[in-house]
Amino acid sequence: MIKCVILDDELLAISYLKLLCEQIDNVEVVKAFNDPKVFLNEINELDCNICILDIEMPGMTGLQVAELIPDSKKIIFTTAYKEYAAEAFDLNVVDYVRKPIKKERLIQAFEKAAELLQNSQKKSLIEWNTNIGKTIIFTEQIAYIKTSEIDSRDKDIILHDGTTIVLKNLNFKNLLEMLPSKDFAQVNKKEIIALSSIKAFSTNEIITTITTEGETFLKLQIGETYKNSLMEMFGK
């Protein structure tokens, strides 16, 4: 099922796009926005997998909005101008649909999206024996992973809500193969961080968004072996 969110500064365009979507099987419009800032404030809380973004909007373009959307949500751009096509595809979006939008063309975009979602679903979760039995964990919920202090063969997964789940008898090499490579990085021999949990970094240290008991942010030391690969991921 495709659950989409629409962002367009023109109310008429939103109404027309919603009407088209309602005529397509297995497509649901979860919500529509005409303000990019309101959209960005709510997008992480919405149950959707596709964002349909207009490129030309006052204040903030669809291209700028796309850079702030989680990778788990696929993007379809709409625009009346063809000159944005190359820049849009540089962002690795699903499709670029010219206005006026035709139903058949929109169906093609959704078909591409459905295929990508099906493929990415395979890597969006991991399944392993844990302290609470065989467990499925959605990778987008993972904030941080560390070697268990009780048994080094086990790995503690800390979720964004603070929950800890212990993966039993799993080494980092096999664990990293199960995780989306673009979303996670090994920091040292004992720790893996989700890129979404990084607040700031230097050549030696990462400051995370994870709070500790003293209400300070968790800091991770970057191991010498991992510095080059981390800097490459950060584009440095």
Side-chain angles (χ1 to χ4, degrees):
M1 181 72 175
I2 287 177
K3 295 185 176 183
C4 66
V5 173
I6 297 169
L7 172 62
D8 196 305
D9 63 303
E10 296 181 4
L11 295 178
L12 190 60
I14 291 174
S15 298
Y16 175 68
L17 194 48
K18 286 176 69 176
L19 183 64
L20 288 182
C21 290
E22 288 168 1
Q23 298 172 24
I24 301 172
D25 293 337
N26 298 317
V27 173
E28 174 190 347
V29 177
V30 175
K31 197 166 183 178
F33 298 85
N34 67 342
D35 186 326
K37 292 182 180 178
V38 177
F39 170 89
L40 288 170
N41 283 337
E42 296 188 27
I43 189 60
N44 289 330
E45 308 302 323
L46 295 175
D47 178 19
C48 66
N49 45 28
I50 299 292
C51 298
I52 305 177
L53 310 179
D54 181 35
I55 290 182
E56 303 84 17
M57 292 182 292
M60 194 173 196
T61 69
L63 296 168
Q64 293 171 316
V65 172
E67 292 177 345
L68 302 174
I69 294 175
D71 289 342
S72 58
K73 302 182 191 299
K74 306 301 180 186
I75 297 167
I76 295 173
F77 278 125
T78 64
T79 180
Y81 304 96
K82 64 181 180 181
E83 60 263 27
Y84 289 107
E87 190 174 354
F89 279 116
D90 282 345
L91 289 166
N92 197 29
V93 299
V94 173
D95 210 344
Y96 171 93
V97 182
R98 292 277 306 278
K99 294 180 178 181
I101 299 170
K102 296 180 180 179
K103 179 182 174 182
E104 293 74 17
R105 182 66 184 86
L106 189 59
I107 289 174
Q108 286 180 1
F110 282 139
E111 286 174 347
K112 287 184 183 179
E115 185 175 351
L116 283 173
L117 287 168
Q118 188 174 11
N119 291 336
S120 63
Q121 184 73 16
K122 296 174 184 176
K123 285 192 173 182
S124 66
L125 53 85
I126 60 175
E127 183 176 357
W128 200 258
N129 290 325
T130 74
N131 58 314
I132 54 175
K134 196 164 189 178
T135 306
I136 293 174
I137 304 168
F138 288 91
T139 58
E140 64 182 19
Q141 298 298 318
I142 299 173
Y144 168 58
I145 304 169
K146 64 178 180 176
T147 298
S148 171
E149 295 178 4
I150 298 172
D151 187 337
S152 62
R153 294 173 298 180
D154 299 341
K155 305 297 175 283
D156 293 344
I157 284 188
I158 293 82
L159 305 183
H160 286 294
D161 65 1
T163 302
T164 298
I165 299 173
V166 183
L167 297 177
K168 307 300 289 185
N169 195 23
L170 180 62
N171 62 45
F172 270 173
K173 180 179 182 296
N174 291 336
L175 177 53
L176 284 165
E177 288 176 354
M178 297 162 65
L179 296 168
S181 59
K182 61 183 176 56
D183 297 330
F184 293 87
Q186 186 165 355
V187 179
N188 51 54
K189 290 181 179 180
K190 295 186 175 182
E191 296 172 304
I192 293 172
I193 190 68
L195 299 193
S196 60
S197 298
I198 295 175
K199 188 182 185 72
F201 68 90
S202 67
T203 54
N204 298 309
E205 185 179 71
I206 289 175
I207 302 173
T208 74
T209 58
I210 303 164
T211 53
T212 63
E213 290 182 4
E215 296 187 353
T216 57
F217 293 109
L218 176 68
K219 296 180 180 180
L220 308 178
Q221 296 302 309
I222 300 175
E224 285 294 332
T225 308
Y226 307 94
K227 282 185 179 181
N228 289 340
S229 59
L230 277 168
M231 293 305 116
E232 284 178 11
M233 289 189 77
F234 299 146
K236 300 296 181 184

